Tab-separated table of all heavy atoms in Angstrom:
chain	number	residue	atom	x	y	z
A	59	TRP	N	19.617	2.886	13.894
A	59	TRP	CA	18.244	3.277	13.876
A	59	TRP	C	17.569	2.944	12.539
A	59	TRP	O	16.415	2.501	12.489
A	59	TRP	CB	18.052	4.731	14.214
A	59	TRP	CG	16.635	5.212	14.093
A	59	TRP	CD1	15.563	4.842	14.885
A	59	TRP	CD2	16.119	6.151	13.156
A	59	TRP	NE1	14.447	5.500	14.531
A	59	TRP	CE2	14.761	6.304	13.435
A	59	TRP	CE3	16.682	6.852	12.147
A	59	TRP	CZ2	13.933	7.150	12.715
A	59	TRP	CZ3	15.890	7.759	11.432
A	59	TRP	CH2	14.526	7.902	11.713
A	60	ASP	N	18.300	3.193	11.514
A	60	ASP	CA	17.718	2.956	10.166
A	60	ASP	C	18.587	2.001	9.407
A	60	ASP	O	19.148	2.266	8.274
A	60	ASP	CB	17.621	4.333	9.394
A	60	ASP	CG	16.856	4.261	8.088
A	60	ASP	OD1	15.975	3.452	8.030
A	60	ASP	OD2	17.156	5.011	7.161
A	61	ASN	N	18.637	0.749	9.896
A	61	ASN	CA	19.534	-0.206	9.342
A	61	ASN	C	18.782	-1.194	8.451
A	61	ASN	O	17.523	-1.287	8.480
A	61	ASN	CB	20.148	-1.014	10.469
A	61	ASN	CG	21.418	-1.789	10.023
A	61	ASN	OD1	21.805	-1.653	8.924
A	61	ASN	ND2	21.938	-2.569	10.916
A	62	GLY	N	19.508	-1.944	7.619
A	62	GLY	CA	18.914	-2.986	6.848
A	62	GLY	C	18.748	-2.685	5.405
A	62	GLY	O	19.272	-1.675	4.851
A	63	LEU	N	17.976	-3.494	4.752
A	63	LEU	CA	17.685	-3.343	3.288
A	63	LEU	C	16.375	-2.661	3.051
A	63	LEU	O	15.555	-2.469	3.968
A	63	LEU	CB	17.650	-4.740	2.643
A	63	LEU	CG	18.873	-5.630	2.788
A	63	LEU	CD1	18.636	-7.000	2.147
A	63	LEU	CD2	20.101	-5.003	2.206
A	64	GLU	N	16.181	-2.190	1.843
A	64	GLU	CA	14.930	-1.626	1.435
A	64	GLU	C	13.828	-2.698	1.520
A	64	GLU	O	14.153	-3.915	1.354
A	64	GLU	CB	15.055	-1.047	0.036
A	64	GLU	CG	15.820	0.282	0.018
A	64	GLU	CD	15.171	1.370	0.811
A	64	GLU	OE1	13.893	1.465	0.805
A	64	GLU	OE2	15.888	2.087	1.468
A	65	PRO	N	12.522	-2.322	1.660
A	65	PRO	CA	11.478	-3.283	1.889
A	65	PRO	C	11.399	-4.341	0.843
A	65	PRO	O	11.117	-5.556	1.122
A	65	PRO	CB	10.228	-2.365	1.895
A	65	PRO	CG	10.691	-1.104	2.368
A	65	PRO	CD	12.050	-0.949	1.831
A	66	GLU	N	11.645	-4.051	-0.438
A	66	GLU	CA	11.493	-5.035	-1.487
A	66	GLU	C	12.560	-6.108	-1.426
A	66	GLU	O	12.461	-7.117	-2.065
A	66	GLU	CB	11.444	-4.394	-2.853
A	66	GLU	CG	12.674	-3.511	-3.192
A	66	GLU	CD	12.495	-2.035	-2.830
A	66	GLU	OE1	11.684	-1.794	-1.825
A	66	GLU	OE2	13.052	-1.196	-3.482
A	67	TYR	N	13.634	-5.890	-0.651
A	67	TYR	CA	14.712	-6.852	-0.538
A	67	TYR	C	14.764	-7.456	0.828
A	67	TYR	O	15.683	-8.218	1.149
A	67	TYR	CB	16.105	-6.161	-0.861
A	67	TYR	CG	16.184	-5.731	-2.311
A	67	TYR	CD1	16.008	-4.384	-2.640
A	67	TYR	CD2	16.435	-6.620	-3.346
A	67	TYR	CE1	16.104	-3.966	-3.958
A	67	TYR	CE2	16.561	-6.207	-4.635
A	67	TYR	CZ	16.351	-4.830	-4.947
A	67	TYR	OH	16.434	-4.442	-6.239
A	68	GLN	N	13.817	-7.088	1.765
A	68	GLN	CA	13.880	-7.602	3.074
A	68	GLN	C	13.787	-9.113	3.157
A	68	GLN	O	14.506	-9.787	3.933
A	68	GLN	CB	12.703	-6.977	3.934
A	68	GLN	CG	12.917	-5.492	4.303
A	68	GLN	CD	13.953	-5.241	5.369
A	68	GLN	OE1	14.542	-6.142	5.837
A	68	GLN	NE2	14.148	-4.007	5.695
A	69	LYS	N	12.895	-9.721	2.356
A	69	LYS	CA	12.681	-11.142	2.496
A	69	LYS	C	13.667	-11.988	1.694
A	69	LYS	O	14.313	-12.846	2.259
A	69	LYS	CB	11.285	-11.494	1.968
A	69	LYS	CG	10.133	-10.871	2.903
A	69	LYS	CD	8.759	-11.319	2.351
A	69	LYS	CE	7.715	-10.815	3.275
A	69	LYS	NZ	6.336	-11.214	2.806
A	70	GLN	N	13.899	-11.587	0.446
A	70	GLN	CA	14.809	-12.419	-0.370
A	70	GLN	C	16.265	-12.026	-0.181
A	70	GLN	O	17.181	-12.807	-0.525
A	70	GLN	CB	14.469	-12.305	-1.850
A	70	GLN	CG	14.684	-10.942	-2.501
A	70	GLN	CD	13.487	-10.070	-2.406
A	70	GLN	OE1	12.705	-10.180	-1.433
A	70	GLN	NE2	13.280	-9.175	-3.319
A	71	GLY	N	16.572	-10.804	0.390
A	71	GLY	CA	17.938	-10.424	0.593
A	71	GLY	C	18.634	-10.041	-0.743
A	71	GLY	O	17.993	-9.992	-1.783
A	72	LEU	N	19.948	-9.826	-0.679
A	72	LEU	CA	20.773	-9.459	-1.847
A	72	LEU	C	21.704	-10.626	-2.168
A	72	LEU	O	22.258	-11.292	-1.287
A	72	LEU	CB	21.545	-8.237	-1.553
A	72	LEU	CG	20.760	-6.953	-1.284
A	72	LEU	CD1	21.730	-5.780	-1.113
A	72	LEU	CD2	19.793	-6.616	-2.395
A	73	GLY	N	21.874	-10.864	-3.450
A	73	GLY	CA	22.815	-11.861	-3.882
A	73	GLY	C	24.246	-11.336	-3.820
A	73	GLY	O	24.500	-10.137	-3.619
A	74	LYS	N	25.221	-12.259	-4.012
A	74	LYS	CA	26.631	-11.820	-3.939
A	74	LYS	C	26.986	-10.769	-4.984
A	74	LYS	O	27.703	-9.852	-4.652
A	74	LYS	CB	27.527	-13.080	-4.147
A	74	LYS	CG	27.572	-14.023	-2.981
A	74	LYS	CD	28.587	-15.111	-3.191
A	74	LYS	CE	28.612	-16.060	-1.932
A	74	LYS	NZ	29.574	-17.153	-2.128
A	75	PRO	N	26.482	-10.864	-6.220
A	75	PRO	CA	26.849	-9.747	-7.152
A	75	PRO	C	26.299	-8.391	-6.708
A	75	PRO	O	27.026	-7.361	-6.861
A	75	PRO	CB	26.159	-10.198	-8.473
A	75	PRO	CG	25.985	-11.671	-8.363
A	75	PRO	CD	25.741	-11.960	-6.893
A	76	GLN	N	25.125	-8.384	-6.108
A	76	GLN	CA	24.585	-7.102	-5.618
A	76	GLN	C	25.395	-6.569	-4.452
A	76	GLN	O	25.657	-5.369	-4.322
A	76	GLN	CB	23.063	-7.323	-5.285
A	76	GLN	CG	22.178	-7.571	-6.465
A	76	GLN	CD	20.775	-7.969	-6.053
A	76	GLN	OE1	20.588	-8.677	-5.146
A	76	GLN	NE2	19.829	-7.452	-6.815
A	77	TRP	N	25.750	-7.465	-3.517
A	77	TRP	CA	26.538	-6.990	-2.404
A	77	TRP	C	27.935	-6.419	-2.833
A	77	TRP	O	28.391	-5.435	-2.358
A	77	TRP	CB	26.734	-8.139	-1.407
A	77	TRP	CG	25.696	-8.313	-0.432
A	77	TRP	CD1	24.838	-9.400	-0.262
A	77	TRP	CD2	25.263	-7.372	0.569
A	77	TRP	NE1	23.927	-9.180	0.766
A	77	TRP	CE2	24.142	-7.957	1.236
A	77	TRP	CE3	25.697	-6.117	0.909
A	77	TRP	CZ2	23.526	-7.280	2.345
A	77	TRP	CZ3	25.058	-5.461	1.973
A	77	TRP	CH2	23.970	-6.004	2.619
A	78	ARG	N	28.556	-7.161	-3.756
A	78	ARG	CA	29.795	-6.713	-4.296
A	78	ARG	C	29.653	-5.349	-5.034
A	78	ARG	O	30.526	-4.470	-4.856
A	78	ARG	CB	30.399	-7.748	-5.306
A	78	ARG	CG	30.855	-9.044	-4.605
A	78	ARG	CD	31.236	-10.133	-5.627
A	78	ARG	NE	31.656	-11.362	-4.975
A	78	ARG	CZ	31.936	-12.454	-5.672
A	78	ARG	NH1	31.793	-12.445	-6.990
A	78	ARG	NH2	32.287	-13.533	-5.022
Side-chain angles (χ1 to χ4, degrees):
W59 174 67
D60 190 31
N61 196 7
L63 304 177
E64 285 298 321
E66 57 267 30
Y67 295 99
Q68 289 285 1
K69 293 183 179 180
Q70 68 269 30
L72 298 181
K74 287 186 178 180
Q76 291 172 320
W77 274 117
R78 291 174 181 173

